Amino acid sequence: MACSDLVIVNNRGELGRHVGDLFQVCLFALYHLKLARISPAIGFVLQCLSMVNQQQQYEWVATVKKSLEESVQELQQKEKPQSFKLQDLVFLDSESIFVMPSAFNDDVHYGLQVSRPTNLYALKALQLREKVFQWIGRAKASQKQSRAAAAGSSESDA
C-alpha cells in the first residue's frame, strides 16, 4: 500500500467486517511508519458473485469505509486533532467495487459433472481492466486536489 497507486483486494464473496479490520492494521502501520507518500486507490474485486444490486455494493463499501474512518479517529485521538483524514492515507469511494461472476458453469451431462468457461467472465475481465484505469485516474485526481488544498492552507497560515 505504501508504494502503489492502486491496491486491488480480490475477495471471494461479499465484503465484510474482516476486510475493514485488515485495512485498519494497514492504516495504522502506514501512519506510524510515515510511509504514506501517496494515497492509493482501493479497489475491491468480488469473485463468484452473481446478481448483486448496486445498493448492496454501496453498503459493503460504506461498511469498510466506516471501519477505516473509525480507525483514523482512534489515531487522531493520540495525535493532534484533525491532523489528517482518511483520504490522506487511501482513496475509497462508492465506485471502488467490481463484481465478477464465476468463471465456470457446472452442468451434468450423462451423469458426469462438466465445468465450462463462461463468456460472461471474459467480458467482465475486460470491463475490470477498464475499471482499474478509472480507479487509478480518480485516485491521482484526488491526490492532486489534496495537495492543492494543503498548499493553499499552508500559504494562508504563513
Side-chain angles (χ1 to χ4, degrees):
M1 279 179 73
C3 59
S4 179
D5 289 318
L6 176 65
V7 175
I8 297 176
V9 179
N10 189 6
N11 192 53
R12 185 177 177 100
E14 302 175 359
L15 283 180
R17 177 76 184 173
H18 64 284
V19 175
D21 292 345
L22 174 68
F23 274 101
Q24 282 181 341
V25 172
C26 294
L27 286 180
F28 184 81
L30 279 175
Y31 179 75
H32 282 289
L33 295 174
K34 307 292 185 213
L35 293 174
R37 302 282 183 256
I38 57 175
S39 39
I42 299 175
F44 296 101
V45 179
L46 306 181
Q47 296 281 340
C48 300
L49 289 177
S50 54
M51 307 311 237
V52 176
N53 65 31
Q54 264 196 321
Q55 182 61 36
Q56 182 65 46
Q57 292 179 34
Y58 293 145
E59 288 174 16
W60 288 336
V61 172
T63 299
V64 172
K65 192 170 185 176
K66 182 181 178 198
S67 173
L68 295 178
E69 286 171 346
E70 289 170 0
S71 297
V72 167
Q73 287 175 355
E74 288 175 25
L75 287 171
Q76 285 179 346
Q77 289 174 357
K78 297 173 186 167
E79 306 295 327
K80 296 189 301 187
Q82 301 299 319
S83 59
F84 64 96
K85 300 178 217 158
L86 176 61
Q87 66 205 37
D88 295 335
L89 298 174
V90 295
F91 179 79
L92 178 67
D93 70 2
S94 61
E95 298 294 319
S96 298
I97 199 164
F98 192 85
V99 177
M100 290 290 287
S102 177
F104 296 95
N105 280 339
D106 292 331
D107 280 333
V108 177
H109 287 278
Y110 305 109
L112 296 174
Q113 185 170 352
V114 178
S115 290
R116 293 187 221 167
T118 65
N119 292 335
L120 178 60
Y121 188 82
L123 177 64
K124 287 296 221 174
L126 288 173
Q127 291 173 352
L128 175 59
R129 182 177 183 267
E130 292 174 16
K131 190 71 159 180
V132 164
F133 289 114
Q134 289 174 6
W135 287 336
I136 292 171
R138 284 199 330 266
K140 288 189 176 202
S142 176
Q143 290 171 12
K144 284 181 184 178
Q145 288 175 347
S146 294
R147 287 186 195 124
S153 68
S154 64
E155 288 175 6
S156 65
D157 291 343

